[in-house]
Short mmCIF file of all heavy atoms in Angstrom, two decimals:
data_model
loop_
_atom_site.label_atom_id
_atom_site.label_comp_id
_atom_site.label_asym_id
_atom_site.label_seq_id
_atom_site.Cartn_x
_atom_site.Cartn_y
_atom_site.Cartn_z
N ASN A 3 -68.22 100.58 -60.12
CA ASN A 3 -67.64 101.10 -61.35
C ASN A 3 -68.22 100.35 -62.54
O ASN A 3 -68.08 99.14 -62.66
CB ASN A 3 -66.12 100.87 -61.25
CG ASN A 3 -65.42 101.30 -62.54
OD1 ASN A 3 -66.07 101.66 -63.51
ND2 ASN A 3 -64.11 101.25 -62.50
N ASN A 27 -72.77 55.18 -91.39
CA ASN A 27 -73.22 56.29 -92.22
C ASN A 27 -73.92 57.32 -91.37
O ASN A 27 -74.48 57.00 -90.34
CB ASN A 27 -74.23 55.80 -93.26
CG ASN A 27 -73.59 54.85 -94.21
OD1 ASN A 27 -72.37 54.85 -94.37
ND2 ASN A 27 -74.39 54.00 -94.83
N ILE A 39 -85.57 85.53 -83.97
CA ILE A 39 -86.99 85.24 -84.20
C ILE A 39 -87.82 86.32 -83.53
O ILE A 39 -87.63 86.61 -82.35
CB ILE A 39 -87.37 83.87 -83.60
CG1 ILE A 39 -86.40 82.77 -84.04
CG2 ILE A 39 -88.80 83.51 -83.96
CD1 ILE A 39 -86.64 81.45 -83.36
N ALA A 50 -103.75 95.71 -93.87
CA ALA A 50 -103.28 96.17 -95.18
C ALA A 50 -102.07 97.09 -95.03
O ALA A 50 -101.11 97.00 -95.79
CB ALA A 50 -104.42 96.90 -95.89
N PRO A 67 -101.13 81.52 -93.54
CA PRO A 67 -100.66 80.53 -92.56
C PRO A 67 -100.17 79.27 -93.26
O PRO A 67 -100.75 78.83 -94.25
CB PRO A 67 -101.91 80.22 -91.73
CG PRO A 67 -102.77 81.43 -91.86
CD PRO A 67 -102.49 81.98 -93.23
N ALA A 82 -100.49 81.76 -88.01
CA ALA A 82 -101.87 81.87 -87.55
C ALA A 82 -102.48 83.02 -88.34
O ALA A 82 -101.75 83.80 -88.95
CB ALA A 82 -101.90 82.16 -86.04
N GLY A 84 -103.23 86.32 -89.39
CA GLY A 84 -102.71 87.62 -88.97
C GLY A 84 -101.49 87.54 -88.08
O GLY A 84 -101.15 88.52 -87.43
N ARG A 119 -86.96 80.33 -77.93
CA ARG A 119 -86.93 79.08 -78.67
C ARG A 119 -85.50 78.62 -78.89
O ARG A 119 -84.59 79.43 -78.95
CB ARG A 119 -87.55 79.26 -80.07
CG ARG A 119 -88.79 80.08 -80.11
CD ARG A 119 -90.03 79.25 -79.99
NE ARG A 119 -91.18 80.12 -79.76
CZ ARG A 119 -92.41 79.82 -80.13
NH1 ARG A 119 -92.67 78.67 -80.74
NH2 ARG A 119 -93.40 80.65 -79.87
N PRO A 127 -80.53 62.21 -95.76
CA PRO A 127 -81.46 61.31 -96.46
C PRO A 127 -82.49 60.67 -95.54
O PRO A 127 -83.57 60.33 -95.98
CB PRO A 127 -80.53 60.25 -97.08
CG PRO A 127 -79.20 60.42 -96.42
CD PRO A 127 -79.12 61.84 -95.95
N GLY A 147 -93.81 70.81 -98.95
CA GLY A 147 -92.63 71.02 -99.79
C GLY A 147 -91.91 72.28 -99.39
O GLY A 147 -92.04 72.78 -98.26
N GLN A 170 -83.93 67.66 -98.25
CA GLN A 170 -84.21 66.89 -97.03
C GLN A 170 -83.66 67.64 -95.83
O GLN A 170 -82.84 67.12 -95.08
CB GLN A 170 -83.56 65.51 -97.12
CG GLN A 170 -83.98 64.72 -98.32
CD GLN A 170 -85.44 64.35 -98.23
OE1 GLN A 170 -85.88 63.80 -97.25
NE2 GLN A 170 -86.20 64.68 -99.25
N ASP A 173 -86.01 72.65 -90.21
CA ASP A 173 -85.69 73.31 -88.95
C ASP A 173 -86.86 73.12 -87.99
O ASP A 173 -88.02 73.19 -88.40
CB ASP A 173 -85.47 74.81 -89.16
CG ASP A 173 -84.16 75.09 -89.90
OD1 ASP A 173 -83.35 74.16 -90.03
OD2 ASP A 173 -83.99 76.24 -90.35
#
Side-chain angles (χ1 to χ4, degrees):
Chain A
N3 176 354
N27 295 338
I39 310 174
R119 318 268 168 152
Q170 303 293 308
D173 288 348

